[in-house]
Amino acid sequence: MQPWPAAGAAPKGGTVLVTGAGIDMALLEPLARQGLTVRRLASPLTEDQLVRELRGAVAYLHGGEERASARVLREARKTLKVVAFLGVGYENFVDAAAADRLGIAVTSTPGAATDAVATFTVAQIVNANLGIPRHLGARVPGWQGSDELPHELAARSVGIIGMGANGRRIAEILRRGFGVRVSYYSRTRRPDTERDLGISYLPLLDLAAGSDILVVMVPETGETRSMVDSSVIGRMPEGAILVNTARPAIVSPGALYTGLEKGRVSMAVFDGFYGPECKEAIELRRDFPERLLVTGHIASHTVEAMDRMVRQAVKSIENVLTYGWDEHEVGSRSRPRFR
């Protein structure tokens, strides 16, 4: 376990490694004013590259796609005090349990990108529901019959898996902006949210069965990986839309393929997609190109959201290096006690 800095002691130099795109370097100036050397690298880095680049670093502002694995953190433990993750879905990118054992703080930026992610998700719901992508560039719609006409959003039932800050904001926009019927599933029920927004709680399979549009909004963990499997997709109404702006691995690619093949899923929306090593991903893109709407993990990437996340991460780095802790820590390591 590394020693804690004294309460109120200013950082005494060191390097801060920064990865990721879309970061305004001017927002990192407070770190430089603390005597820290900010070093930004193109992302993503391999595990071996990350091990090498973290040598001597006291902080890591993680805004890329790197995996700060147990090995990476162990190699950096002599100097590394904090990994400040941009966003909230750190579980798949930082081994927080290993960081706890090594006394390295891991922080996230809760709430900073909620509006961006919720707005993007609702936009994709609208896109998919109205079938906008397949009409782009066409001067005259190619309707063959009334059965091809889209439904208004207010006529649809939307189910949301996950009712954290992002899920709640999505529900709020849908309810108050479009008058959509919204239900949700979450490990923890939210009676206040149910009452405030007029939404209802349902068990997962019942939610899938009653949702014209099913939205995935939970972090990727060992517990949620492949959470949306064949039992869930198999209960969705025929022609339903699946919107996953969380992590792709929460949806089983094999189950999704079957759902698209059988018409249970009419369109699947992803922000970020399965890796090239995933055989089903290749088959999905090959066999259903017009029924997949895939973007490159951009939901949280607005100027305002990125600025909020970077500012929050910079403050977390300053707090850990100065006081030994930060309010946005996600691990369970022992905190310093000041007299």
Side-chain angles (χ1 to χ4, degrees):
M1 187 72 70
Q2 47 190 329
W4 298 107
K12 292 182 171 62
T15 299
V16 179
L17 177 66
V18 178
T19 61
I23 296 173
D24 182 352
M25 293 299 288
L27 299 178
L28 305 179
E29 289 179 4
L31 298 176
R33 288 198 295 268
Q34 294 278 358
L36 298 164
T37 301
V38 177
R39 188 158 54 91
R40 182 175 177 188
L41 296 177
S43 192
L45 303 176
T46 66
E47 185 177 70
D48 286 342
Q49 288 172 326
L50 190 55
V51 165
R52 183 170 63 251
E53 299 298 342
L54 280 174
R55 285 176 188 155
V58 295
Y60 175 24
L61 197 157
H62 188 314
E65 297 291 316
E66 293 78 22
R67 300 297 194 269
S69 64
R71 176 198 163 211
V72 168
L73 297 173
R74 191 166 54 249
E75 294 283 349
R77 69 187 184 278
K78 290 183 180 178
T79 58
L80 189 63
K81 302 292 191 300
V82 55
V83 178
F85 183 81
L86 293 187
V88 292
Y90 65 89
E91 295 93 342
N92 200 38
F93 295 92
V94 183
D95 190 329
D100 283 344
R101 293 192 298 271
L102 296 166
I104 299 171
V106 178
T107 68
S108 66
T109 57
T114 296
D115 275 345
V117 172
T119 301
F120 182 90
T121 302
V122 172
Q124 292 295 61
I125 291 171
V126 172
N127 273 341
N129 181 63
L130 295 179
I132 291 174
R134 67 191 178 97
H135 294 293
L136 293 175
R139 289 177 176 269
V140 180
W143 305 120
Q144 301 298 315
S146 62
D147 59 330
E148 289 187 288
L149 295 176
H151 293 277
E152 293 179 2
L153 203 54
R156 308 293 259 167
S157 295
V158 175
I160 302 174
I161 302 174
M163 194 47 62
N166 291 345
R168 180 192 165 96
R169 183 67 176 128
I170 292 166
E172 182 180 26
I173 295 171
L174 291 173
R175 287 289 297 139
R176 295 177 176 168
F178 297 93
V180 177
R181 298 189 303 275
V182 176
S183 302
Y184 79 99
Y185 166 78
S186 178
R187 287 182 301 174
T188 304
R189 283 196 65 169
R190 310 288 185 185
D192 290 347
T193 300
E194 293 172 29
R195 182 177 59 255
D196 293 346
L197 298 181
I199 66 176
S200 57
Y201 171 88
L202 290 173
L204 180 57
L205 294 183
D206 292 340
L207 182 75
S211 298
D212 300 310
I213 302 169
L214 188 63
V215 178
V216 178
M217 192 47 64
V218 292
E220 180 188 345
T221 66
E223 192 174 330
T224 64
R225 205 165 291 125
S226 291
M227 176 183 187
V228 179
D229 57 13
S230 57
S231 67
V232 175
I233 292 177
R235 291 290 297 275
M236 295 172 69
E238 185 174 351
I241 295 168
L242 179 65
V243 178
N244 178 9
T245 48
R247 290 289 174 181
I250 299 163
V251 177
S252 163
L256 176 61
Y257 188 98
T258 301
L260 287 163
E261 184 179 43
K262 293 185 174 180
R264 186 70 62 181
V265 178
S266 64
M267 180 172 282
V269 179
F270 279 73
D271 184 39
F273 206 56
Y274 309 98
E277 73 284 350
C278 177
K279 177 184 175 183
E280 292 96 337
I282 298 172
E283 294 171 346
L284 283 164
R285 285 189 176 275
R286 180 193 67 203
D287 296 342
F288 308 106
E290 295 182 356
R291 293 165 63 193
L292 287 173
L293 182 55
V294 178
T295 50
H297 193 205
I298 60 172
S300 64
H301 286 62
T302 65
V303 170
E304 293 77 14
M306 286 297 295
D307 286 358
R308 284 192 295 267
M309 287 191 289
V310 172
R311 285 192 179 96
Q312 199 164 307
V314 166
K315 188 62 178 175
S316 292
I317 289 172
E318 290 179 320
N319 284 341
V320 172
L321 296 183
T322 302
Y323 303 107
W325 70 283
D326 180 70
E327 62 178 319
H328 297 303
E329 286 192 45
V330 298
S332 57
R333 73 189 183 110
S334 299
R335 305 293 196 269
R337 284 179 238 162
F338 302 133
R339 296 179 181 175

